Amino acid sequence: MKILVIGTGAREHALVRALAVGEAVGESHELHAAPGNPGIAALAELHAVDPMDGAAVASLAVAIGAELVVVGPEAPLVAGVADAVRAAGIPCFGPSGEAAALEGSKAFAKEIMAAAGVPTAMAHVCTTDDEVADALDAFGPPYVVKDDGLAAGKGVVVTNDRAEALEHGAVCLAKQGGALLVEEYLDGPEVSLFCLTDGVTVVPLEPAQDFKRAHDGDAGPNTGGMGAYSPLPWAEPGLVDDIVARVAQPTIEEMARRGVPFSGVLYIGLALTSRGPRVVEFNARFGDPETQVVLARLATPLAGVLLAAANGRLADAPPLRWRAQSAVTVVIAAHGYPQAVRSGDPITGIEAADALPGVHVLHAGTVLADDGALVAKGGRVLTVVGVGADLAAARLAAYNGVARIELPGSHHRTDIAQSASTA
Ligand code: AMP
Ligand code: GLY
């Protein structure tokens, strides 16, 4: 099968890696990526097409004879790139622009959750500074202020400082059509659960945990994600079934009922509070970096199941098989991330890391300089994945990989999966 993957990150590198594996032993699929990155180039043919340009993506898919297009990031989905691909007659894994509003507008997501009876944080939608101040005082600290629209994981401020909460509110409102949510604070461990769906049938993947804050001990600002692990040895055995029944299935049914069927992956970000699981966020795509650990454990070839989801045949797909292994991923971020990022620093040691048993390195913000050297370009530069018999072994592998890599000024967390692997 010829498959085109849209995106540039380590999530897409992980997708390409998993999609390359064919259904029959020894078989592989032909991979293309747009625009891709230097790591993806080892597995797929790269095409210099703007991922936000639906018409260009659709004509590329037609030109190469793609039989499946997989759209990685949220921005092209919200912009309707999946619609353009489907209009060209090619199966596409990813929701329509309208359905991607589950991620693109937090206010819309709250409306769907309310209609579907899905447990989530109470929230006020605000469009003026006064409304923000009133909502902050109604909930009290810790304050949670969220940009309504897409903000690459950086739209949320959680703080005890009322002035900081008001300041973030003012920044969100200053944007064109600015709106925000002030939410009740949810306490408890967070879980990311990806549910594949064709708009009717829901197939959950294994859950993962993400580390959103920039620094060890969950200090520093929120980021797109600094590391992840799977499985979750501390989770209740029935957690996934419970989330499918209480969150995924009702949400997918509500979207279908409104005539906005959601197909692709519904990313459910949850807080396991003392009062039960609550949805923190929906995303309309795979999570980054959680995908890197979840796909490292998936034994079933990914291409067949994503095609089944794209074609509305997920009910016929065989049950997913998982490796009895654990995976840990650590993000190496550029100097300054998540604030002003420094680009152009040279990266070395990837081959040495890749050569370690149970380790593979995925590219995100990398680019080849004019002289052919690999340099950093972007906030999250690499994710190093370690796989092992248990979380402790996977963690050791991942950090051994990280230790082989040199990137001047870079930073990474040293505590990814630490408490889970010693519990
Ligand atoms: P979001 O963009 O909605 O995923 O939020 C990013 C991160 O902010 C989440 O992963 C949480 O760590 C934190 N967060 C968001 N909403 C809440 C909430 N209501 N209570 C506590 N933390 C939250
Ligand atoms: N890791 C969080 C996200 O992908 O949004």
Side-chain angles (χ1 to χ4, degrees):
M1 181 159 59
K2 287 188 187 175
I3 307 170
L4 171 62
V5 175
I6 304 302
T8 57
R11 165 186 52 208
E12 286 74 23
H13 193 174
L15 284 166
V16 163
R17 220 173 158 265
L19 287 166
V21 181
E23 273 64 37
V25 178
E27 187 204 6
S28 61
H29 295 299
E30 181 182 317
L31 269 296
H32 295 260
N37 66 40
I40 293 174
L43 300 166
E45 187 179 331
L46 303 192
H47 302 270
V49 163
D50 177 2
M52 294 298 290
D53 184 341
V57 170
S59 27
L60 171 64
V62 170
I64 63 178
E67 296 157 273
L68 173 66
V69 176
V70 178
V71 182
E74 59 275 21
L77 290 167
V78 172
V81 167
D83 306 80
V85 172
R86 279 192 278 267
I90 298 175
C92 186
F93 181 82
S96 66
E98 220 185 332
L102 267 189
E103 171 164 4
S105 165
K106 290 184 188 286
F108 176 71
K110 286 287 184 199
E111 184 191 321
I112 294 292
M113 284 188 259
V118 168
T120 184
M122 287 186 291
H124 290 298
V125 180
C126 304
T127 52
T128 68
D129 291 323
D130 285 347
E131 286 172 8
V132 175
D134 288 347
L136 292 176
D137 295 336
F139 287 126
Y143 302 109
V144 181
V145 180
K146 299 189 173 186
D147 200 331
D148 180 56
L150 292 183
K154 292 168 225 154
V156 180
V157 162
V158 180
T159 178
N160 281 310
D161 181 345
R162 189 172 179 277
E164 189 189 348
L166 281 170
E167 168 64 27
H168 183 59
V171 170
C172 299
L173 292 180
K175 295 183 185 172
Q176 186 164 15
L180 60 82
L181 269 69
V182 174
E183 276 192 14
E184 161 198 22
Y185 177 76
L186 297 175
D187 202 2
E190 287 186 47
V191 171
S192 301
L193 181 68
F194 305 152
C195 290
L196 306 180
T197 177
D198 55 10
V200 177
T201 301
V202 172
V203 175
L205 303 186
E206 291 270 295
Q209 190 171 53
D210 179 22
F211 292 74
K212 289 246 168 66
R213 299 280 185 157
H215 306 303
D216 282 1
D218 292 331
N222 267 327
T223 69
M226 294 297 291
Y229 67 92
S230 176
L232 311 178
W234 47 268
E236 303 270 340
L239 179 71
V240 169
D241 290 345
D242 187 40
I243 302 309
V244 169
R246 291 172 59 187
V247 178
Q249 205 72 57
T251 299
I252 294 306
E253 280 165 21
E254 176 62 22
M255 293 295 281
R257 198 184 64 71
R258 291 183 180 220
V260 192
F262 183 100
S263 75
V265 55
L266 178 65
Y267 165 138
I268 304 173
L270 295 153
L272 305 182
T273 73
S274 52
R275 289 170 298 132
R278 296 277 184 280
V279 174
V280 173
E281 62 170 336
F282 281 146
N283 292 317
R285 45 142 182 109
F286 286 104
D288 186 349
E290 299 97 309
T291 299
Q292 290 86 307
V293 285
V294 172
L295 295 184
R297 299 184 50 228
L298 181 65
T300 304
L302 185 64
V305 60
L306 296 196
L307 182 65
N311 282 339
R313 289 190 291 97
L314 208 45
D316 304 333
L320 298 178
R321 289 175 291 108
W322 296 91
R323 291 183 226 285
Q325 281 181 311
S326 298
V328 172
T329 193
V330 179
V331 171
I332 300 181
H335 183 274
Y337 179 77
Q339 280 96 24
V341 167
R342 190 170 85 196
S343 285
D345 287 301
I347 306 162
T348 53
I350 291 180
E351 283 178 14
D354 262 328
L356 296 171
V359 178
H360 64 270
V361 181
L362 301 168
H363 291 232
T366 69
V367 69
L368 293 176
D370 291 342
D371 64 358
L374 189 71
V375 302
K377 185 176 187 291
R380 295 187 291 176
V381 180
L382 299 169
T383 74
V384 181
V385 183
V387 175
D390 55 22
L391 279 179
R395 183 167 190 272
L396 192 64
Y399 279 108
N400 279 338
V402 170
R404 296 292 193 284
I405 293 171
E406 290 278 346
L407 169 61
S410 69
H411 62 100
H412 63 267
R413 283 184 60 159
T414 66
D415 61 350
I416 303 300
Q418 188 167 38
S419 57
S421 60
T422 52

